[in-house]
Amino acid sequence: MANASGLFTPLVPGGVRRRFSASIGIYRSGFWFSEGVSTKRRILCSSTVEGAENISPSQSRVPRLSSRGCKLVGCGSAVPSLQISNDDLAKIVDTNDEWISVRTGIHNRRVLSGKDSLIGLAVDSAKKALEMAEVDPNDVDLVLLCTSTPEDLFGSAPQIQKALGCKNNPLAYDITAACSGFVLGLVSAACYIRGGGFNNVLVIGADALSRYVDWTDRGTCILFGDAAGAVLVQACDGEEDGLFAFDMHSDGDGQRHLNASIKENELDHALGSNGSVLGFPSKSSSYSCIQMNGKEVFRFACRAVPQSIESALKKAGLSGSSINWLLLHQANQRIIDAVATRLEVPSERVISNLANYGNTSAASIPLALDEAVRSGKVQPGHTIAAAGFGAGLTWGSAIMRWG
């Protein structure tokens, strides 16, 4: 099981044994930078050091040696035009609105159709985020597309960079971590800003899981929808830093509970093998529909997500009562309610738009955030505890401030 430390820049007390060299690199689970002077070491993203367990949350947060922070300054979202209701699904599988809504909290979802495309949704959401942040596309230093359903095997992020008209050819690449992808994207953006000198990073969560749903399986087809959401993460002075801490994990043993594995198709008869080499030419392949053990995924989320958020809060030196909003991956309302209860967060401080869109994978957190910001619910200065969880299995949380 892999894990990562929190996103903050602590002073390393004299009693903590230092294990850094004068260079830039990856140390265990974090990006670090050493200036080569033992009294002026800065941890720009995260670290694991011997004796770190003796550092209290207050020590880890103030004072900070790093003068560079990051903050969320713009957001946007986009959804397909086609809406599919529970009643619509009842026409193709044995289900009904009550059965779906009681078990999931979902009433509608949006699905790609016609001229809609995942890249188009991602571009629309990114443009809205840039407009809110008042940042020109030519000032974007990096585009991170968090998706498990790209429209090109080799990734779709460069096509977004092209469509936005970024003339300076900034780096653009995909991050594949299913429903945890957006949180991982935020942490990656912070590392590029803190340690790489980047100023404006677009983090986009976009998925079209409807393309991998078995529409005859009522256990999975009722859950998923398509969407995109984006945020603009911007460099700022360390005192204004808005990404306080994070906690990230994976457990490959849980892959059997949620996956869409590759499968081999039958060899094309026209190609043949000529009997030359056994098993060659290789069979063409594709991905299977989503396979999920709902009960196991439910147990996993209700156990792992609260622990992750509690860990991130501890690293940030905050308590659950100090956050303004709880924003979880929108997978199932029962999961959202269970996590909120465990963390003792009242329902009025929980952001949820699951009923309208279903599970949109990496898009769900930025989509819900964008709606909450534009409706006036989330205000500048509000502290948000966000968490993603899903296939891999992967899960992660981040404590951040909006604006």
Side-chain angles (χ1 to χ4, degrees):
M1 181 181 295
N3 65 80
S5 303
L7 182 64
F8 42 75
T9 54
L11 270 174
V12 182
V16 177
R17 180 178 168 192
R18 297 177 174 86
R19 295 185 61 187
F20 302 98
S21 60
S23 62
I24 295 176
I26 300 296
Y27 178 72
R28 292 188 189 176
S29 58
F31 184 99
W32 56 269
F33 169 77
S34 174
E35 294 180 318
V37 181
S38 61
T39 57
K40 292 185 178 181
R41 286 188 170 94
R42 295 182 296 165
I43 302 173
L44 294 174
C45 188
S46 64
S47 68
T48 303
V49 295
E50 292 185 17
E53 64 275 6
N54 298 320
I55 303 175
S56 69
S58 60
Q59 285 177 299
S60 69
R61 291 205 65 201
V62 290
R64 295 185 177 215
L65 290 181
S66 174
S67 61
R68 192 172 178 86
C70 61
K71 58 184 179 180
L72 282 65
V73 296
C75 60
S77 63
V79 297
S81 56
L82 178 62
Q83 177 174 283
I84 302 296
S85 68
N86 291 344
D87 290 333
D88 293 327
L89 290 179
K91 298 175 182 178
I92 59 176
V93 291
D94 182 17
T95 190
N96 57 65
D97 178 66
E98 181 181 8
W99 191 90
I100 298 173
S101 60
V102 168
R103 287 164 175 78
T104 68
I106 300 169
H107 289 281
N108 297 287
R109 71 282 296 146
R110 299 296 183 95
V111 175
L112 287 176
S113 65
K115 295 183 179 179
D116 287 335
S117 71
L118 187 67
I119 291 176
L121 295 181
V123 171
D124 288 347
S125 65
K127 287 180 177 179
K128 293 174 183 176
L130 290 172
E131 181 180 2
M132 180 183 289
E134 297 182 346
V135 171
D136 188 273
N138 289 323
D139 292 326
V140 172
D141 302 305
L142 175 66
V143 178
L144 300 175
L145 174 62
C146 309
T147 184
S148 297
T149 57
E151 295 187 334
D152 188 307
L153 176 64
F154 302 118
S156 292
Q159 294 304 306
I160 297 172
Q161 171 258 315
K162 173 186 175 183
L164 289 174
C166 303
K167 297 179 181 179
N168 295 323
N169 298 113
L171 174 65
Y173 66 89
D174 292 15
I175 294 177
T176 302
C179 304
S180 305
F182 182 75
V183 173
L184 272 63
L186 282 180
V187 173
S188 298
C191 288
Y192 276 103
I193 289 173
R194 294 169 186 262
F198 288 46
N199 291 314
N200 294 297
V201 180
L202 263 176
V203 182
I204 306 166
D207 267 309
L209 290 180
S210 67
R211 292 169 170 169
Y212 298 93
V213 164
D214 178 356
W215 292 101
T216 67
D217 176 14
R218 75 168 186 171
T220 57
C221 76
I222 64 173
L223 300 173
F224 300 103
D226 306 333
V231 298
L232 194 285
V233 185
Q234 189 171 75
C236 64
D237 184 80
E239 296 300 318
E240 300 176 353
D241 190 20
L243 194 48
F244 303 139
F246 68 85
D247 180 80
M248 300 188 298
H249 302 266
S250 65
D251 181 6
D253 188 57
Q255 185 262 356
R256 66 187 188 277
H257 299 312
L258 178 55
N259 61 78
S261 301
I262 199 167
K263 63 178 182 179
E264 290 187 342
N265 300 324
E266 289 300 318
L267 187 66
D268 186 357
H269 294 297
L271 180 62
S273 65
N274 295 322
S276 56
V277 180
L278 184 63
F280 178 83
S282 302
K283 295 180 180 180
S284 60
S285 60
S286 61
Y287 289 99
S288 68
C289 291
I290 297 170
Q291 307 294 317
M292 183 175 68
N293 183 329
K295 291 183 179 180
E296 288 298 328
V297 173
F298 181 86
R299 293 191 187 103
F300 145 70
C302 292
R303 177 187 71 255
V305 175
Q307 292 174 352
S308 179
I309 293 175
E310 288 170 343
S311 176
L313 284 169
K314 183 178 180 180
K315 293 168 185 173
L318 299 174
S319 65
S321 61
S322 63
I323 65 173
N324 299 104
W325 300 103
L326 178 64
L327 174 54
L328 304 180
H329 163 52
Q330 307 287 292
N332 184 302
Q333 191 61 46
R334 291 194 299 164
I335 293 176
I336 295 173
D337 293 342
V339 173
T341 299
R342 164 76 178 272
L343 297 174
E344 299 182 346
V345 177
S347 58
E348 61 268 21
R349 291 200 284 125
V350 178
I351 297 174
S352 176
N353 65 355
L354 175 71
N356 297 324
Y357 303 108
N359 180 345
T360 57
S361 192
S364 75
I365 292 177
L367 171 62
L369 174 64
D370 183 50
E371 288 196 343
V373 169
R374 293 179 186 276
S375 68
K377 181 180 291 186
V378 171
Q379 294 288 324
H382 280 183
T383 300
I384 303 167
F389 52 91
L393 297 170
T394 59
W395 65 102
S397 59
I399 312 300
M400 55 193 182
R401 180 174 57 228
W402 173 252

